[in-house]
Amino acid sequence: MSQQDDFDRGLKNRRAVLGDAWVDKSLDNATAFNAEFQSLITRYAWHDIWGRPGLDPTTRRLLVLGMTMGLARWEEFELHCKAAIRGGVPLEKIKETLMQGAIYCGVPAANTAFKITLDILREEGLVPPRQPLSAGVRVATHHTFSEPQLKVAVQGQGTPVVLSHALGLNVQMWDGLAAELAATYQVMRYDHRGHGGSAVAPGPYAIDDLVDDAARVIREWGRGPVVFVGLSMGGMVGQGLAIRHPELLRALVLANTTSQYPPEAQPIWAQRIAAVEAGGLEAIADAVMERYFSAAYRASHTEEVAACRRTLLRSDQQGYVACCHAVRAVNWLDRLNTIACPTLIIAGKLDVGAPVAMSQAMAERIAGSQLVVIDEASHLSVAEQPAQFAQHLQRFLSTLK
């Protein structure tokens, strides 16, 4: 039987990381002067180090980028950066590595690293979308003056639109839609209390607390009445605003949400709260992803789902639990007939967290409301089907006087 030696094992790792073309070039061009060196690094660097089980390959790739950046070894940085991109390392992780390097390696090094990486992305046909920082386009962030302080992000010019996110997420949930709307509208997003960059007030919270937060954010902004777009927990807040603060709303969009949970859902919420209190957010992360995204989307968009999971895990545990108490007790159903502003309801056909029947119940009670169902969408319909979500929203906005 043929047996692999350390060179063969190292060569396998070297090819997996750098690609066959580069490795073949190095080996085929070896001479009597540097062949032993090529053998040395293949055996010891690529087998003994890259073959160690302590770190996953992606982490090792990112570490190499940070180290070569810090040492200004730009030839090696470019080689490993190109290999990382071609090897499927998420661009978000590469970007975060360079951002970390801006602090620990210095701004000049980070500037060079970003330039090299952008050149590689252009070469690979992966040019990132434009995100100008010019006036009227740049995303401006601040916090409310009132307490508990809430993080707010504003961009664009025009009719004011407010976006309100789902439980366990933050303003980044709306990045794509906010950028699209900002071409025509002024878009304000905010983190709910206990989430993202907002303060974590002592809990538990009531849904009225979240509604009052939204009302004061709009009043501080001074642009009301607004079009309020809420998804899941954000949609529950939107219903409360339309019922309790109708003067603040020009129109309402309720996506993947409910006005009331049936009695049989209460033990499920109790179990979720108990699981987080006992084991942290990691204890429920996988289950939440299964409710937020359809099986097909989870299989075909692994990095997007992983990024959402990381956002959930960065959430404050106490803030999350406090909001769970608010969500489980939502009860607007019998007051929906008082909502008078134009209302669009968006449901996902695959949504098990807020089934279409819940949207139909709202549509039956809100006079003149429109209901649309997105076929290939689960709970985070704006993430699974962003084009369809935006199309329905833009069509609705165009009808407002």
Side-chain angles (χ1 to χ4, degrees):
M1 293 178 62
S2 61
Q3 295 184 355
Q4 289 187 330
D5 61 13
D6 288 350
F7 181 91
D8 295 320
R9 296 185 183 96
L11 190 60
K12 181 179 179 181
N13 291 333
R14 194 176 181 185
R15 290 186 183 281
V17 173
L18 299 180
D20 290 336
W22 178 268
V23 175
D24 288 339
K25 178 182 176 182
S26 298
L27 299 183
D28 292 345
N29 292 333
T31 69
F33 183 74
N34 69 353
E36 288 186 55
F37 170 71
Q38 288 292 330
S39 177
L40 174 74
I41 61 174
T42 302
R43 287 179 288 119
Y44 289 102
W46 291 104
H47 171 57
D48 280 2
I49 299 301
W50 280 88
R52 291 175 63 84
L55 296 172
D56 62 88
T58 293
T59 300
R60 291 192 187 278
R61 286 181 184 270
L62 297 175
L63 283 171
V64 170
L65 292 184
M67 293 173 189
T68 53
M69 176 180 173
L71 293 170
R73 305 301 294 258
W74 298 119
E75 183 179 359
E76 286 186 80
F77 176 89
E78 182 176 2
L79 168 66
H80 281 272
C81 188
K82 185 177 294 186
I85 292 170
R86 290 177 175 175
V89 175
L91 296 184
E92 181 67 21
K93 291 188 176 183
I94 294 176
K95 181 184 79 172
E96 288 304 316
T97 299
L98 305 193
M99 291 291 289
Q100 191 86 356
I103 301 300
Y104 291 97
C105 304
V107 171
N111 190 52
T112 301
F114 270 104
K115 181 182 182 302
I116 291 172
T117 305
L118 283 170
D119 287 343
I120 295 170
L121 291 175
R122 293 188 188 97
E123 181 184 330
E124 296 295 314
L126 299 171
V127 181
R130 295 182 71 252
Q131 188 175 314
L133 296 176
S134 49
V137 179
R138 181 178 68 88
V139 180
T141 60
H142 62 275
H143 285 77
T144 58
F145 293 104
S146 55
E147 295 182 347
Q149 286 195 320
L150 306 177
K151 179 183 176 181
V152 176
V154 180
Q155 64 194 113
Q157 296 291 333
T159 301
V161 176
V162 176
L163 306 178
S164 186
H165 66 79
L167 178 65
L169 303 182
N170 57 34
V171 294
Q172 291 180 316
M173 188 192 93
W174 298 110
D175 279 354
L177 180 64
E180 180 175 341
L181 292 177
T184 312
Y185 303 93
Q186 188 169 38
V187 183
M188 188 260 278
R189 298 171 276 163
Y190 71 99
D191 285 337
H192 291 286
R193 62 167 66 191
H195 287 69
S198 292
V200 183
Y205 309 148
I207 197 68
D208 280 334
D209 294 327
L210 306 185
V211 171
D212 289 341
D213 284 346
R216 63 187 173 88
V217 164
I218 295 170
R219 290 194 174 103
E220 281 196 23
W221 193 23
R223 293 294 320 278
V226 305
V227 178
F228 191 92
V229 182
L231 188 146
S232 191
M233 182 170 71
M236 299 173 194
V237 171
Q239 294 170 67
L241 274 174
I243 293 167
R244 295 183 48 226
H245 303 278
E247 73 283 359
L248 296 178
L249 297 191
R250 179 181 183 185
L252 178 64
V253 179
L254 305 173
N256 305 93
T257 191
T258 186
S259 55
Q260 185 184 72
Y261 284 107
E264 56 267 27
Q266 294 306 312
I268 298 175
W269 279 107
Q271 291 168 11
R272 181 185 295 198
I273 291 169
V276 174
E277 290 176 335
L281 288 163
E282 182 69 47
I284 62 157
D286 290 339
V288 170
M289 293 305 103
E290 289 175 3
R291 293 180 74 84
Y292 277 4
F293 301 104
S294 66
Y297 186 87
R298 294 197 307 273
S300 60
H301 294 75
T302 55
E303 179 48 36
E304 288 84 350
V305 174
C308 183
R309 189 178 190 275
R310 290 193 295 270
T311 298
L312 173 66
L313 292 179
R314 286 195 300 269
S315 297
D316 184 273
Q317 177 177 326
Q318 299 307 315
Y320 183 89
V321 168
C323 279
C324 282
H325 285 284
V327 169
R328 71 182 294 192
V330 66
N331 188 11
W332 300 123
L333 191 64
D334 293 336
R335 300 170 67 184
L336 292 181
N337 60 357
T338 66
I339 296 179
C341 64
T343 302
L344 170 66
I345 302 170
I346 300 175
K349 188 174 183 179
L350 306 178
D351 191 348
V352 296
V356 174
M358 290 181 171
S359 292
Q360 292 171 332
M362 291 187 291
E364 290 168 0
R365 289 165 174 79
I366 302 176
S369 62
Q370 306 171 41
L371 170 62
V372 296
V373 180
I374 302 177
D375 287 340
E376 298 301 321
S378 185
H379 198 58
L380 290 188
S381 58
V382 72
E384 284 203 55
Q385 297 295 336
Q388 289 189 54
F389 190 101
Q391 182 181 34
H392 289 305
L393 176 58
Q394 292 274 26
R395 185 182 296 119
F396 175 70
L397 292 175
S398 70
T399 66
L400 302 178
K401 298 180 180 179

PDB file of all heavy atoms in Angstrom, residues 256 258 261 291 350-355 358 378-379:
ATOM      1  N   ASN A 256     -45.274  39.659   8.441  1.00  0.00           N
ATOM      2  CA  ASN A 256     -44.957  38.429   9.192  1.00  0.00           C
ATOM      3  C   ASN A 256     -45.176  38.617  10.686  1.00  0.00           C
ATOM      4  O   ASN A 256     -44.282  38.381  11.499  1.00  0.00           O
ATOM      5  CB  ASN A 256     -43.502  38.023   8.917  1.00  0.00           C
ATOM      6  CG  ASN A 256     -43.240  37.873   7.431  1.00  0.00           C
ATOM      7  OD1 ASN A 256     -42.814  38.825   6.783  1.00  0.00           O
ATOM      8  ND2 ASN A 256     -43.503  36.705   6.885  1.00  0.00           N
ATOM      9  N   THR A 258     -48.390  39.107  14.047  1.00  0.00           N
ATOM     10  CA  THR A 258     -49.687  38.693  14.560  1.00  0.00           C
ATOM     11  C   THR A 258     -50.197  39.741  15.532  1.00  0.00           C
ATOM     12  O   THR A 258     -49.420  40.552  16.052  1.00  0.00           O
ATOM     13  CB  THR A 258     -49.609  37.322  15.256  1.00  0.00           C
ATOM     14  OG1 THR A 258     -50.923  36.901  15.627  1.00  0.00           O
ATOM     15  CG2 THR A 258     -48.749  37.384  16.516  1.00  0.00           C
ATOM     16  N   TYR A 261     -51.504  35.725  20.020  1.00  0.00           N
ATOM     17  CA  TYR A 261     -51.133  34.315  19.968  1.00  0.00           C
ATOM     18  C   TYR A 261     -52.228  33.471  20.613  1.00  0.00           C
ATOM     19  O   TYR A 261     -52.813  33.886  21.629  1.00  0.00           O
ATOM     20  CB  TYR A 261     -49.810  34.067  20.693  1.00  0.00           C
ATOM     21  CG  TYR A 261     -48.604  34.510  19.912  1.00  0.00           C
ATOM     22  CD1 TYR A 261     -47.899  35.663  20.284  1.00  0.00           C
ATOM     23  CD2 TYR A 261     -48.164  33.792  18.812  1.00  0.00           C
ATOM     24  CE1 TYR A 261     -46.788  36.079  19.561  1.00  0.00           C
ATOM     25  CE2 TYR A 261     -47.065  34.198  18.083  1.00  0.00           C
ATOM     26  CZ  TYR A 261     -46.378  35.344  18.464  1.00  0.00           C
ATOM     27  OH  TYR A 261     -45.297  35.749  17.734  1.00  0.00           O
ATOM     28  N   ARG A 291     -37.209  28.814  12.456  1.00  0.00           N
ATOM     29  CA  ARG A 291     -38.478  29.532  12.359  1.00  0.00           C
ATOM     30  C   ARG A 291     -38.349  30.765  11.471  1.00  0.00           C
ATOM     31  O   ARG A 291     -39.302  31.160  10.801  1.00  0.00           O
ATOM     32  CB  ARG A 291     -38.969  29.940  13.752  1.00  0.00           C
ATOM     33  CG  ARG A 291     -39.361  28.766  14.629  1.00  0.00           C
ATOM     34  CD  ARG A 291     -39.837  29.221  15.987  1.00  0.00           C
ATOM     35  NE  ARG A 291     -41.160  29.798  15.954  1.00  0.00           N
ATOM     36  CZ  ARG A 291     -42.296  29.102  15.992  1.00  0.00           C
ATOM     37  NH1 ARG A 291     -42.268  27.772  16.036  1.00  0.00           N
ATOM     38  NH2 ARG A 291     -43.465  29.707  15.980  1.00  0.00           N
ATOM     39  N   LEU A 350     -44.650  30.233   3.790  1.00  0.00           N
ATOM     40  CA  LEU A 350     -43.940  29.188   4.529  1.00  0.00           C
ATOM     41  C   LEU A 350     -43.718  29.551   5.988  1.00  0.00           C
ATOM     42  O   LEU A 350     -43.007  28.846   6.704  1.00  0.00           O
ATOM     43  CB  LEU A 350     -42.579  28.939   3.856  1.00  0.00           C
ATOM     44  CG  LEU A 350     -42.614  28.611   2.360  1.00  0.00           C
ATOM     45  CD1 LEU A 350     -41.194  28.429   1.830  1.00  0.00           C
ATOM     46  CD2 LEU A 350     -43.451  27.369   2.094  1.00  0.00           C
ATOM     47  N   ASP A 351     -44.316  30.633   6.439  1.00  0.00           N
ATOM     48  CA  ASP A 351     -44.073  31.148   7.788  1.00  0.00           C
ATOM     49  C   ASP A 351     -44.819  30.322   8.827  1.00  0.00           C
ATOM     50  O   ASP A 351     -46.057  30.312   8.856  1.00  0.00           O
ATOM     51  CB  ASP A 351     -44.514  32.610   7.852  1.00  0.00           C
ATOM     52  CG  ASP A 351     -44.062  33.322   9.117  1.00  0.00           C
ATOM     53  OD1 ASP A 351     -43.605  32.635  10.050  1.00  0.00           O
ATOM     54  OD2 ASP A 351     -44.160  34.563   9.152  1.00  0.00           O
ATOM     55  N   VAL A 352     -44.066  29.632   9.684  1.00  0.00           N
ATOM     56  CA  VAL A 352     -44.699  28.872  10.766  1.00  0.00           C
ATOM     57  C   VAL A 352     -44.769  29.700  12.046  1.00  0.00           C
ATOM     58  O   VAL A 352     -45.543  29.388  12.950  1.00  0.00           O
ATOM     59  CB  VAL A 352     -43.949  27.548  11.039  1.00  0.00           C
ATOM     60  CG1 VAL A 352     -44.011  26.634   9.843  1.00  0.00           C
ATOM     61  CG2 VAL A 352     -42.498  27.811  11.431  1.00  0.00           C
ATOM     62  N   GLY A 353     -43.968  30.762  12.138  1.00  0.00           N
ATOM     63  CA  GLY A 353     -43.996  31.620  13.320  1.00  0.00           C
ATOM     64  C   GLY A 353     -45.206  32.535  13.331  1.00  0.00           C
ATOM     65  O   GLY A 353     -45.779  32.810  14.397  1.00  0.00           O
ATOM     66  N   ALA A 354     -45.576  33.021  12.153  1.00  0.00           N
ATOM     67  CA  ALA A 354     -46.773  33.857  12.005  1.00  0.00           C
ATOM     68  C   ALA A 354     -47.489  33.386  10.749  1.00  0.00           C
ATOM     69  O   ALA A 354     -47.369  33.987   9.682  1.00  0.00           O
ATOM     70  CB  ALA A 354     -46.403  35.327  11.908  1.00  0.00           C
ATOM     71  N   PRO A 355     -48.238  32.287  10.842  1.00  0.00           N
ATOM     72  CA  PRO A 355     -48.893  31.705   9.668  1.00  0.00           C
ATOM     73  C   PRO A 355     -49.806  32.698   8.964  1.00  0.00           C
ATOM     74  O   PRO A 355     -50.263  33.687   9.548  1.00  0.00           O
ATOM     75  CB  PRO A 355     -49.697  30.543  10.261  1.00  0.00           C
ATOM     76  CG  PRO A 355     -49.003  30.208  11.542  1.00  0.00           C
ATOM     77  CD  PRO A 355     -48.485  31.507  12.067  1.00  0.00           C
ATOM     78  N   MET A 358     -52.916  34.213  10.538  1.00  0.00           N
ATOM     79  CA  MET A 358     -52.807  35.356  11.447  1.00  0.00           C
ATOM     80  C   MET A 358     -52.906  36.667  10.676  1.00  0.00           C
ATOM     81  O   MET A 358     -53.517  37.638  11.143  1.00  0.00           O
ATOM     82  CB  MET A 358     -51.488  35.287  12.219  1.00  0.00           C
ATOM     83  CG  MET A 358     -51.419  34.170  13.240  1.00  0.00           C
ATOM     84  SD  MET A 358     -49.847  34.172  14.139  1.00  0.00           S
ATOM     85  CE  MET A 358     -50.192  32.940  15.407  1.00  0.00           C
ATOM     86  N   SER A 378     -40.482  32.564   4.405  1.00  0.00           N
ATOM     87  CA  SER A 378     -40.846  32.170   5.750  1.00  0.00           C
ATOM     88  C   SER A 378     -40.986  33.437   6.596  1.00  0.00           C
ATOM     89  O   SER A 378     -41.521  34.435   6.125  1.00  0.00           O
ATOM     90  CB  SER A 378     -39.802  31.214   6.317  1.00  0.00           C
ATOM     91  OG  SER A 378     -40.199  30.736   7.588  1.00  0.00           O
ATOM     92  N   HIS A 379     -40.468  33.428   7.826  1.00  0.00           N
ATOM     93  CA  HIS A 379     -40.748  34.527   8.752  1.00  0.00           C
ATOM     94  C   HIS A 379     -40.001  35.814   8.379  1.00  0.00           C
ATOM     95  O   HIS A 379     -40.576  36.900   8.420  1.00  0.00           O
ATOM     96  CB  HIS A 379     -40.391  34.106  10.179  1.00  0.00           C
ATOM     97  CG  HIS A 379     -41.005  34.962  11.232  1.00  0.00           C
ATOM     98  ND1 HIS A 379     -42.370  35.145  11.336  1.00  0.00           N
ATOM     99  CD2 HIS A 379     -40.455  35.716  12.221  1.00  0.00           C
ATOM    100  CE1 HIS A 379     -42.632  35.949  12.359  1.00  0.00           C
ATOM    101  NE2 HIS A 379     -41.492  36.319  12.897  1.00  0.00           N
TER     102      HIS A 379
END
